[in-house]
Amino acid sequence: MIKNDMRYQMRYGFYAIYILLTFSYIMILNQITDPIIKSMAGTLIILSDPAVLGYFFIGGIWLLEKEEQLHSYMSISPLKHFEYVLGKISSLGLVSTCSSVIIMGVTMPWVNLFIAAGIIFLSSCFFTLLGLILATFAKTVNGYLMISVPPALILLTPGVLSIFGINFPFATIIPGTIVFNLIRDTLTNNPAHVFLNIIGLFFWACLLFMVTLRRITHEIKPSGGKRHAFDY
């Protein structure tokens, strides 16, 4: 399933886009000489792009599959719903991880790439699952953008604002803030809270995985997929 997903994504140019973006980010970060500034800039770049790659791409992938009527075959195929979800998060997670590891390896040689790869992959899984849930409520790409942008801002803004000393109550339990802290601490070699944050993010990912399975089961069964919150 993962191999088929990667072929499908390659056919629509997702990988070509990310090769270009990866080299662009490397060029930007290589212009920064101060390690601290480079680490913070790298945190923002990886947080806003590779780490949430699946969140933006999964909506288009789901809708393309729906347009090609691939979901109608899933109700009669031996492919299980959890295998479908695992294929999506794994294929997109690999792209996110490879892109991030290349960026960090070339521009920030002090980073532990093994730990960073695990964090990026888990972060990508979380955001891909969230995006897939939202995609099941949309009928068009415009509809998906309408419902996906506000949650992204809510999840990511508290972490970004913490750079400027602006903190919110309970922000540390928000998944977006957890991802931000994990990436920042990894790029700055600050392992103080990495383990606890990984556990927190894993909990959120498992929770979303269960919700995603329920949504997918509803949408690809013969009676599902007829009602959408945003038919734009």
Side-chain angles (χ1 to χ4, degrees):
M1 184 63 195
I2 296 175
K3 186 176 180 180
N4 290 334
D5 279 329
M6 294 182 76
R7 285 177 177 174
Y8 187 85
Q9 293 156 16
M10 187 178 297
R11 186 175 70 180
Y12 282 98
F14 292 125
Y15 294 172
I17 293 173
Y18 249 76
I19 290 174
L20 178 62
L21 288 174
T22 298
F23 281 104
S24 298
Y25 294 142
I26 289 174
M27 292 177 63
I28 292 172
L29 289 173
N30 275 337
Q31 302 304 311
I32 304 173
T33 56
D34 186 284
I36 297 177
I37 297 177
K38 179 178 287 189
S39 295
M40 294 311 300
T43 299
L44 294 176
I45 286 175
I46 293 172
L47 175 71
S48 63
D49 214 330
V52 297
L53 162 72
Y55 184 76
F56 295 107
F57 279 0
I58 193 62
I61 292 171
W62 170 267
L63 293 169
L64 282 172
E65 290 178 347
K66 199 174 188 69
E67 183 179 339
E68 296 176 2
Q69 299 183 339
L70 296 181
H71 298 162
S72 62
Y73 296 105
M74 288 180 58
S75 59
I76 58 175
S77 75
L79 180 68
K80 295 180 176 61
H81 297 160
F82 80 88
E83 292 175 336
Y84 172 84
V85 177
L86 282 177
K88 290 292 181 287
I89 63 176
S90 298
S91 59
L92 290 171
L94 286 173
V95 180
S96 297
T97 303
C98 289
S99 174
S100 299
V101 167
I102 292 172
I103 292 171
M104 290 182 287
V106 173
T107 64
M108 290 169 279
W110 60 83
V111 174
N112 186 320
L113 295 181
F114 180 77
I115 295 176
I119 289 172
I120 297 301
F121 185 82
L122 184 57
S123 301
S124 174
C125 288
F126 169 82
F127 281 105
T128 300
L129 288 168
L130 179 59
L132 186 53
I133 293 171
L134 296 175
T136 62
F137 290 98
K139 188 175 181 180
T140 66
V141 173
N142 287 338
Y144 178 72
L145 291 176
M146 288 184 62
I147 60 177
S148 64
V149 171
L153 292 175
I154 292 172
L155 286 172
L156 299 176
T157 299
V160 175
L161 289 179
S162 67
I163 296 176
F164 307 100
I166 303 174
N167 298 298
F168 296 91
F170 308 109
T172 54
I173 65 173
I174 298 174
T177 304
I178 294 175
V179 171
F180 172 84
N181 289 335
L182 280 171
I183 296 173
R184 181 198 59 195
D185 292 345
T186 302
L187 268 57
T188 57
N189 284 327
N190 179 20
H193 304 290
V194 169
F195 183 70
L196 287 177
N197 281 329
I198 288 176
I199 293 176
L201 184 58
F202 184 75
F203 167 79
W204 281 109
C206 289
L207 181 63
L208 279 191
F209 189 84
M210 292 186 290
V211 176
T212 304
L213 283 180
R214 291 180 63 87
R215 285 299 307 163
I216 295 298
T217 300
H218 175 268
E219 286 299 307
I220 66 178
K221 67 183 181 180
S223 60
K226 295 181 180 179
R227 294 177 298 174
H228 301 274
F230 292 84
D231 292 347
Y232 296 102

